[in-house]
Amino acid sequence: MTTTRTADAATGPVPPPSFATALPPSVGAFHYTRFAPRLPSLGADGMEPGCHPVVIAGGGPVGMALALGLANHGVRSVVLEADDTVCVGSRAACISRRSLEIVERLGALPAFLGKGLPWSVGRSFYKTAEVFRFEMPQDAQQKLPPMINLEQYYIEQYLLDEIERRNAATPGLVDIRWGTELTALAQDEDGGGVTLDVRNAEGAYRLRGQWLAACDGGQSFVRKSLGLALEGTGYEGRYVIIDIELHSGHPTERRAWFDPPWNPGSTVLMHRQPDDIWRIDYQLRAGQSTEDALQPAAVVEFVQRHLNAIGEGHLPWKTVWTSVYRAGAMTLDSYRHGRVVFAGNAAHAMPIFGVRGLNSGFDDADNLAWKLACVAKGLSDAALLDAYSQERIAAFYINAEAAMRSTEFMSPPSRGFDLLREAALSLSEAHRGIAQLINPRQTQAVRYDDSALSSEGDALPAGPLPGEVMPEQALEQGHLTDWIAPVFTLLVLRPDAASPPAADIERAQQGALPFAVRSIASVGTEGADAQASTAVFAALGAQDGAIYLLRPDGHVAARWHRLPTGALPAALARAAVANSQDIPA
């Protein structure tokens, strides 16, 4: 068993200490691999020749997702990872449908779905009575489950496997440097790049990058080096996180117990993960010692008491990982600082409730990858990265508002909140309307409502607005997202009715920006990429045709009933900041 020290709200769970000689112990079917550090070819001054387009600090899920997103656009990157294995401990465990859509664009979806456990139901109990049940949307239109449970070491391994596949086809596309610690950084005075000092077991050296992406987690070295701090709300509530191996037949669902008799005054959460690993989170009461709670004997005593209470105390089990978490909703005031951009926990901290931590990080990487690629390739003005910062900070506040409401219910910050929660829980069994207060508000795709990258278009009777994600639809064969690649996509719905100007299409296809045209026709109509029922066109406001311009991250950049001549080049330029003076400040 491995334990960690206490973390604060700005950092989240602290990773366990590295294993100096032996590999971390296997967990279930997962076996760790140690990756050897190495030195690149160096000049006499200890400097690596040349300048990399992008250097990524941190090889966790967000850093690897960003590297794969850049690879989708042919942009090479170097990933600096201080550890020499994928992460120890399951840590992040719930992956949302939106994140699975992102993972599909990265090429790793089959592995995630093959191992992950899908679920859609959550149940909440007050003492021992069930008082609330929620079910996340799952209908025939969807090809992906609303949520899967998958331990972070599998998440990282599957992203790494995809990186290795990409490197086999294009050697050096993603250069992961394991066991390599970033020790210093300096931005050029003329703003031309970043110089980094690094070291590993083989020695120390310097390298240069045009851009540095800080994906180095809650204790970000890059953030501290620039003298930046996360600002926001930190909560006093502390949660012990315990992963156990337990051979239970209980279905995959989220369970929460409020004020259970076996741990009065606390909240306990439980999730199933692959390989018979179960995540248990429980709230420490005021005055309880963190250090005492993490003692092996205390962990065993609590888990056994919990399993006894839910009728599974007779089953054998063992502890595989423990940590402590303190909830907080905190962010940097900007995710771009010169040639440095921030993503994931380096940029923000989210409470665990509603699973917005890693899922927000995947959204960061998805938003950043195409923008950073366009800037690195000289296709876009660097102001596009300011739009990344603006959009993702707006998303932080949307996510934080929902997460903080859940946190204040799960971990009341004052006696007043505690009394309100107790009243809601005690009434919820008999009054189902009040039970809605218990809803954990699971993460979902965010609309970039005020994005400077969106263009005015036409009002449609239905369908996603500019800034929203194009929703999934079931086609006659396959699904709509099958036709949305990580490029700018002009989606023509009912091309017989809404035919775009041929000259503008040709101009866009011949331009440098990655661009594709996809057409969806009525059933029985020939010549389109796919066919759909009238219900699909009605859902997208396209009964008599419509056209959407989608960004590489699947968000709507513009939409039209009929595409006017000249509107497509202007919308593309705006969405990519290809002509920065057209973008309002």
Side-chain angles (χ1 to χ4, degrees):
M1 181 183 75
T2 302
T3 62
T4 72
R5 64 187 184 276
T6 308
D8 61 28
T11 63
V14 179
S18 59
F19 291 78
T21 55
L23 278 172
S26 299
V27 183
F30 187 84
H31 308 290
Y32 282 90
T33 300
R34 189 180 297 284
F35 302 98
R38 59 181 176 80
L39 291 177
S41 298
L42 301 174
D45 57 354
M47 174 73 78
E48 183 180 1
C51 184
H52 300 284
V54 178
V55 178
I56 300 171
V62 177
M64 285 198 275
L66 177 59
L68 284 167
L70 291 168
N72 281 342
H73 297 274
V75 174
R76 295 176 180 268
S77 63
V78 170
V79 180
L80 305 175
E81 172 51 50
D83 291 334
D84 59 3
T85 69
V86 298
C87 81
V88 177
S90 64
R91 300 168 73 178
C94 298
I95 308 300
S96 70
R97 175 181 286 139
R98 171 62 182 160
S99 292
L100 291 174
E101 291 174 356
I102 294 169
V103 168
E104 182 174 28
R105 284 197 287 275
L106 302 180
L109 181 63
F112 275 62
L113 293 182
K115 190 69 177 181
L117 301 179
W119 63 279
S120 59
V121 172
R123 296 194 292 152
S124 297
F125 302 85
Y126 177 48
K127 300 187 184 297
T128 58
E130 183 172 336
V131 294
F132 182 71
R133 182 184 187 276
F134 72 84
E135 187 160 2
M136 292 178 286
Q138 173 72 341
D139 54 50
Q141 298 296 330
Q142 303 298 329
K143 73 175 180 181
L144 297 172
M147 199 80 68
I148 67 167
N149 286 349
L150 184 66
E151 297 97 335
Q152 187 168 322
Y153 42 80
Y154 277 119
I155 293 169
E156 294 187 11
Q157 185 62 55
Y158 294 152
L159 294 173
L160 177 59
D161 292 344
E162 179 59 24
I163 286 173
E164 292 175 347
R165 284 190 286 271
R166 301 287 188 98
N167 283 338
T170 308
L173 185 59
V174 180
D175 181 357
I176 298 188
R177 302 185 181 180
W178 296 97
T180 299
E181 179 186 9
L182 178 60
T183 58
L185 65 97
Q187 299 195 59
D188 297 350
E189 291 185 4
D190 62 3
V194 183
T195 300
L196 308 171
D197 287 20
V198 301
R199 67 186 178 198
N200 60 33
E202 300 297 312
Y205 63 97
R206 284 186 162 186
L207 71 159
R208 284 184 49 75
Q210 295 177 26
W211 294 92
L212 172 64
C215 305
D216 52 342
Q219 302 176 81
S220 172
F221 174 85
V222 177
R223 189 178 67 220
K224 294 173 183 175
S225 296
L226 296 184
L228 305 173
L230 302 182
E231 301 292 340
T233 302
Y235 290 94
E236 291 302 316
R238 296 159 298 149
Y239 275 78
V240 174
I241 300 172
I242 307 170
D243 282 354
I244 64 172
E245 184 175 334
L246 170 74
H247 300 284
S248 166
H250 194 87
T252 306
E253 61 182 9
R254 175 259 198 197
R255 286 179 287 173
W257 292 268
F258 297 94
D259 196 20
W262 59 95
N263 203 49
S266 176
T267 302
V268 181
L269 306 173
M270 194 168 185
H271 269 288
R272 182 176 195 145
Q273 301 179 81
D275 298 339
D276 288 317
I277 304 299
W278 291 79
R279 161 70 56 85
I280 302 173
D281 305 66
Y282 80 92
Q283 181 186 5
L284 290 176
R285 294 184 294 273
Q288 275 189 288
S289 163
T290 298
E291 290 73 17
D292 289 347
L294 288 177
Q295 292 299 314
V299 170
V300 168
E301 191 275 333
F302 171 80
V303 172
Q304 189 62 55
R305 180 159 32 98
H306 173 71
L307 294 179
N308 289 343
I310 65 173
E312 298 195 330
H314 62 289
L315 298 175
W317 64 274
K318 66 177 182 179
T319 307
V320 295
W321 190 64
T322 65
S323 185
V324 171
Y325 180 86
R326 176 171 287 160
M330 314 179 81
T331 183
L332 292 173
D333 61 6
S334 175
Y335 295 175
R336 180 194 171 198
H337 292 264
R339 288 274 172 161
V340 180
V341 288
F342 289 84
N345 286 346
H348 49 72
M350 281 287 183
I352 59 175
F353 312 114
V355 297
R356 290 173 174 84
L358 178 54
N359 290 299
S360 290
F362 274 135
D363 251 328
D364 288 348
D366 191 46
N367 189 301
L368 178 58
W370 69 270
K371 294 174 179 173
L372 188 52
C374 285
V375 172
K377 294 167 77 171
L379 305 178
S380 298
D381 189 277
L384 185 58
L385 298 177
D386 295 326
Y388 158 72
S389 177
Q390 292 157 5
E391 289 181 349
R392 291 309 299 158
I393 288 176
F396 166 82
Y397 284 108
I398 292 170
N399 278 316
E401 182 181 1
M404 289 167 70
R405 287 201 300 269
S406 296
T407 300
E408 288 166 350
F409 194 90
M410 303 291 287
S411 182
S414 69
R415 179 57 182 159
F417 275 96
D418 199 23
L419 289 171
L420 287 172
R421 185 180 85 160
E422 186 176 328
L425 288 166
S426 62
L427 293 170
S428 56
E429 186 176 8
H431 301 278
R432 290 303 175 183
I434 293 176
Q436 289 298 322
L437 294 171
I438 307 172
N439 192 331
R441 302 176 180 87
Q442 302 287 40
T443 184
Q444 57 186 349
V446 169
R447 179 192 175 195
Y448 302 133
D449 195 11
D450 298 318
S451 175
L453 307 185
S454 297
S455 294
E456 292 290 335
D458 298 331
L460 298 176
L465 298 169
E468 284 188 291
V469 170
M470 175 60 67
E472 184 66 280
Q473 299 290 331
L475 307 180
E476 287 302 290
Q477 292 185 338
H479 290 78
L480 181 56
T481 53
D482 297 337
W483 297 100
I484 301 175
V487 298
F488 285 100
T489 302
L490 193 71
L491 184 63
V492 183
L493 302 172
R494 288 206 58 205
D496 57 316
S499 179
D504 286 353
I505 295 292
E506 183 178 359
R507 178 179 170 187
Q509 290 174 326
Q510 292 178 351
L513 289 172
F515 179 80
V517 180
R518 296 289 181 259
S519 58
I520 312 294
S522 302
V523 176
T525 304
E526 301 295 331
D529 292 304
Q531 299 177 345
S533 67
T534 56
V536 170
F537 297 118
L540 300 178
Q543 293 94 325
D544 61 344
I547 296 175
Y548 287 84
L549 176 62
L550 306 181
R551 305 176 350 174
D553 55 12
H555 286 261
V556 176
R559 65 180 196 171
W560 302 272
H561 182 222
R562 297 291 181 268
L563 179 57
T565 299
L568 174 59
L572 269 173
R574 185 183 184 93
V577 195
N579 191 354
S580 61
Q581 65 263 29
D582 291 341
I583 306 300

